[in-house]
Amino acid sequence: MDAWIWGAVVLAIVLVIAGGIAWWLARGCVLTMIGATGAVIGGVMSLIALVVLLDPDVGLRVAFIVTVGSGVWLLAWALAGGIRGQRLLRAEERAAGAAAPVPVSVTTAHGH
């Protein structure tokens, strides 16, 4: 049973670290920051569940559910942030392309 508990502790810590890295990489993207916050809170809640609950089986079950839920939360919000970022980048590229002056070629300038 000790190996299961240590495995759950390690996964919860990895989830907190992943949330921290996602927050750091978000660069102001609110969607990704929401996912990162949920992952950090979920990882901490998993650790608390493992420590506070008296029955190890219940603690492992609760930690598993919270860890999986928080991981899915992080993945979903990070994907949403990435998709939104790509759309914004494409819109900026289209706007920059439309605003750029059209170069005049040498043949049209001389009438050839």
Side-chain angles (χ1 to χ4, degrees):
M1 185 61 81
D2 287 336
W4 287 99
I5 291 175
W6 281 112
V9 167
V10 168
L11 282 176
I13 292 171
V14 166
L15 185 61
V16 170
I17 293 170
I21 291 171
W23 180 278
W24 178 58
L25 293 175
R27 297 185 186 238
C29 177
V30 177
L31 297 176
T32 305
M33 292 170 87
I34 290 171
T37 303
V40 170
I41 292 171
V44 171
M45 286 176 53
S46 294
L47 288 171
I48 291 171
L50 290 168
V51 172
V52 171
L53 295 176
L54 298 176
D55 185 15
D57 290 333
V58 174
L60 282 172
R61 287 187 190 120
V62 170
F64 172 76
I65 291 169
V66 172
T67 302
V68 169
S70 298
V72 170
W73 175 270
L74 174 61
L75 178 64
W77 283 100
L79 286 173
I83 291 169
R84 180 175 177 261
Q86 284 182 344
R87 288 181 181 167
L88 290 174
L89 181 64
R90 288 184 188 138
E92 287 177 7
E93 288 173 350
R94 280 192 296 261
V102 178
V104 178
S105 69
V106 176
T107 57
T108 57
H110 296 294
H112 295 122

